[in-house]
Amino acid sequence: MGSKKYDMVITGGRVIDSALGFGKDAHLFIKDQKIAAIEANSPAIQRVLKTFDDSQIVNAEGKLVVPGLIDVHVHLREPGNEGAETIESGCRAAAAGGFTAVCCMPNTHPRIDSQETVKFVQDRAKNKDARVYVAGAITKNLEGEELAEIGDLVKMGAVAITDDGYYVQNPAIMRRALEYAKMFDIPVMQHAEDSLLSKGGIMNESYQSTRLGIKGLPAVAEEIAVLRDIALCRVTGSRLHIQHISTKRAVEAVRQAKKEGINVTTEACPHHFVLTDDEIGKEFNTNLRVHPPIRGAEDRDAVIEGLVDGTIECIASDHAPHSTEDKDAEFDRAPAGMIGLETTLALVKTYLIDKAYLSWADAIRKMTINPASIFGFQGGTLEVGSVADITIIDPDKRWTVKADKFRSLSRNSPYIGYRLSGKAATTILDGRVVFSGK
Ligand code: DOR
């Protein structure tokens, strides 16, 4: 051992790897952009550490050292809406939030429904502060009418297909999409919101929507969409991934489908386990407008239960940047979506871990090895030989969300002013520090 053998060492942290099933105090050594060794403290290791230059040491005392976090649902807005976000700024936001890898959605302009657009995003994502995986479209122009050239998209490197933002309303097209995806062994990600039932809806259909006189988006639109796709998946044997699940009955449908052995996975977003639609009438903050909408307490609790019992494997942000000009409108005229890359980790800590719903190991699993395994990404583990994508977390750091601190180009967060706990201290991508909270 010795400093020549390694490029960097992360010392004194508590290393958590949900894939390998451990949490232990250890030093983590990096060489050639790979995890080279994980060693418990000892006099011999202390002697080795003395041979390192200060510049090679990242001190993680009092911190958690975990695999780089992975977010399978982000909107990077490039090409087409670079005022709201670029791939570069989105990756900077990811790194600041502790994410080393993101999967971007195809609802850009133009849509990511061709080899050229996949390639464009991949080229723009080179040498940025996070890895960018690309989800291609299910249908051309996300119009739900004609399948995109799925084989071409996969050949170019698309890791999944989705029409996110839109539900594939036509079941025959969805069935074909599932069959194609099966041939290429990729998941179909579904924005599960029946468009006929939810047409014109602005917020959750509830007591609150009635009180406020705002047109509702009914929970049954999600339930029907999820049940239909599970039925299709039962027939095709394909891999279905339900995006941003938000209702009690949808969670229950997925739970039952899993029991039956159907290959369905799902993700939950912080706003569906933190917020309820009671918030909307307070200030009509347009950053609370989102699809699927923030629901009532019963649905929020069911999402938490799904996270606790493993029905929901992934936590994803659905980072959806919109410019301040666009969001500065009446509630029903503002575009739906909120940014999330820089607040997800702290919301998980404050609302799931501190409330004892999840342990750190459970939470990290849903943000590392689970998404990595479902989507076939590298990383997600600190196993020796793995890529050196690492997040160092200050687990109890108290901080206030401030608009001017976001790395994202957009400011559309409903959490501005929230006091949260837990923050990424250092983010390492390919053995290179891409974010340091200092
Ligand atoms: O609120 C949302 N915004 N939900 C989506 O599915 C799309 C996203 C966006 O692109 O703004």
Side-chain angles (χ1 to χ4, degrees):
M1 285 234 201
S3 62
K4 293 215 179 58
K5 231 178 126 185
Y6 301 110
D7 301 326
M8 187 193 280
V9 59
I10 301 169
T11 59
R14 179 147 190 91
V15 182
I16 299 180
D17 188 320
S18 309
L20 299 175
F22 66 68
K24 60 185 179 193
D25 295 337
H27 309 294
L28 194 145
F29 296 84
I30 298 167
K31 175 73 179 169
D32 295 336
Q33 294 145 43
K34 297 260 170 9
I35 312 282
I38 302 177
E39 299 286 343
N41 201 20
S42 69
I45 289 293
Q46 280 299 323
R47 279 194 295 278
V48 172
L49 292 180
K50 286 214 175 72
T51 66
F52 280 77
D53 292 340
D54 283 354
S55 63
Q56 293 176 288
I57 300 176
V58 178
N59 182 349
E61 261 163 65
K63 305 206 169 68
L64 307 177
V65 179
V66 307
L69 305 180
I70 298 171
D71 188 340
V72 293
H73 192 150
V74 307
H75 299 267
L76 296 180
R77 302 300 190 219
E78 188 179 353
N81 192 2
E82 290 83 352
E85 198 76 287
T86 61
I87 291 167
E88 183 169 14
S89 66
C91 288
R92 235 183 289 132
F99 291 93
T100 53
V102 297
C103 177
C104 67
M105 297 297 112
N107 64 339
T108 50
H109 301 280
R111 312 306 201 177
I112 306 178
D113 62 359
S114 65
Q115 288 199 328
E116 291 72 21
T117 35
V118 174
K119 175 99 173 58
F120 176 85
V121 173
Q122 289 169 335
D123 286 347
R124 301 287 292 173
K126 281 191 185 130
N127 303 317
K128 298 296 186 290
D129 291 348
R131 276 174 219 293
V132 176
Y133 294 99
V134 182
I138 297 174
T139 66
K140 289 186 178 155
N141 209 25
L142 309 184
E143 283 169 352
E145 307 268 331
E146 202 184 332
L147 281 183
E149 296 295 343
I150 295 166
D152 285 356
L153 296 174
V154 174
K155 216 177 285 163
M156 195 46 87
V159 294
I161 48 172
T162 176
D163 274 3
D164 181 53
Y166 306 96
Y167 176 60
V168 179
Q169 188 70 39
N170 183 326
I173 289 182
M174 185 61 182
R175 180 183 180 172
R176 294 280 305 285
L178 284 163
E179 285 167 349
Y180 273 107
K182 188 180 177 188
M183 290 194 318
F184 301 110
D185 196 21
I186 55 163
V188 180
M189 304 170 86
Q190 177 69 286
H191 177 115
E193 203 170 30
D194 185 285
S195 18
L196 301 174
L197 277 170
S198 55
K199 197 167 175 207
I202 303 293
M203 69 174 284
N204 184 38
E205 184 177 278
S206 64
Y207 178 86
Q208 289 298 347
S209 65
T210 311
R211 185 175 79 83
L212 301 170
I214 296 178
K215 189 164 163 45
L217 286 156
V220 70
E222 179 169 305
E223 185 191 353
I224 286 182
V226 168
L227 283 168
R228 185 204 76 176
D229 286 351
I230 286 171
L232 289 173
C233 209
R234 186 183 287 120
V235 172
T236 58
S238 317
R239 295 162 58 194
L240 172 69
H241 180 81
I242 304 293
Q243 300 180 288
H244 38 47
I245 198 160
S246 73
T247 73
K248 180 179 168 176
R249 290 186 187 280
V251 173
E252 183 54 25
V254 170
R255 186 177 286 122
Q256 293 311 322
K258 279 176 190 285
K259 279 192 191 144
E260 219 190 290
I262 292 172
N263 208 338
V264 55
T265 55
T266 189
E267 72 194 27
C269 304
H271 40 279
H272 293 130
F273 59 76
V274 170
L275 302 169
T276 67
D277 56 5
D278 291 348
E279 294 296 317
I280 290 170
K282 290 181 185 165
E283 289 181 5
F284 295 95
N285 180 346
T286 57
N287 297 332
L288 293 165
R289 183 167 176 209
V290 66
H291 284 280
I294 294 160
R295 307 280 183 186
E298 205 184 343
D299 287 319
R300 179 204 53 194
D301 292 349
V303 169
I304 294 173
E305 205 183 315
L307 285 161
V308 170
D309 75 7
T311 302
I312 303 170
E313 300 91 339
C314 302
I315 294 172
S317 70
D318 194 4
H319 179 80
H322 291 286
S323 69
T324 306
E325 298 77 66
D326 285 347
K327 276 289 193 181
D328 190 12
E330 290 80 14
F331 194 84
D332 57 349
R333 287 169 172 260
M338 62 176 78
I339 54 171
L341 277 166
E342 294 170 79
T343 47
T344 291
L345 175 60
L347 292 165
V348 167
K349 166 63 171 34
T350 310
Y351 289 88
L352 297 178
I353 297 173
D354 284 351
K355 290 181 188 291
Y357 292 120
L358 297 184
S359 65
W360 267 111
D362 292 334
I364 295 303
R365 186 191 320 277
K366 291 179 197 295
M367 294 195 281
T368 58
I369 191 63
N370 284 359
S373 319
I374 293 166
F375 291 87
F377 299 164
Q378 57 181 328
T381 171
L382 298 173
E383 192 173 8
V384 170
S386 310
V387 64
D389 289 0
I390 302 160
T391 302
I392 303 175
I393 299 171
D394 197 342
D396 299 312
K397 186 183 170 76
R398 307 269 305 159
W399 61 288
T400 303
V401 183
K402 294 204 170 111
D404 61 352
K405 290 279 194 283
F406 284 127
R407 266 76 169 177
S408 169
L409 290 184
S410 289
R411 302 280 174 268
N412 56 308
S413 168
Y415 305 110
I416 292 165
Y418 273 49
R419 190 122 180 98
L420 302 175
S421 166
K423 205 171 192 309
T426 308
T427 308
I428 295 168
L429 174 71
D430 261 336
R432 173 173 63 99
V433 174
V434 286
F435 171 77
S436 172
K438 274 176 273 158

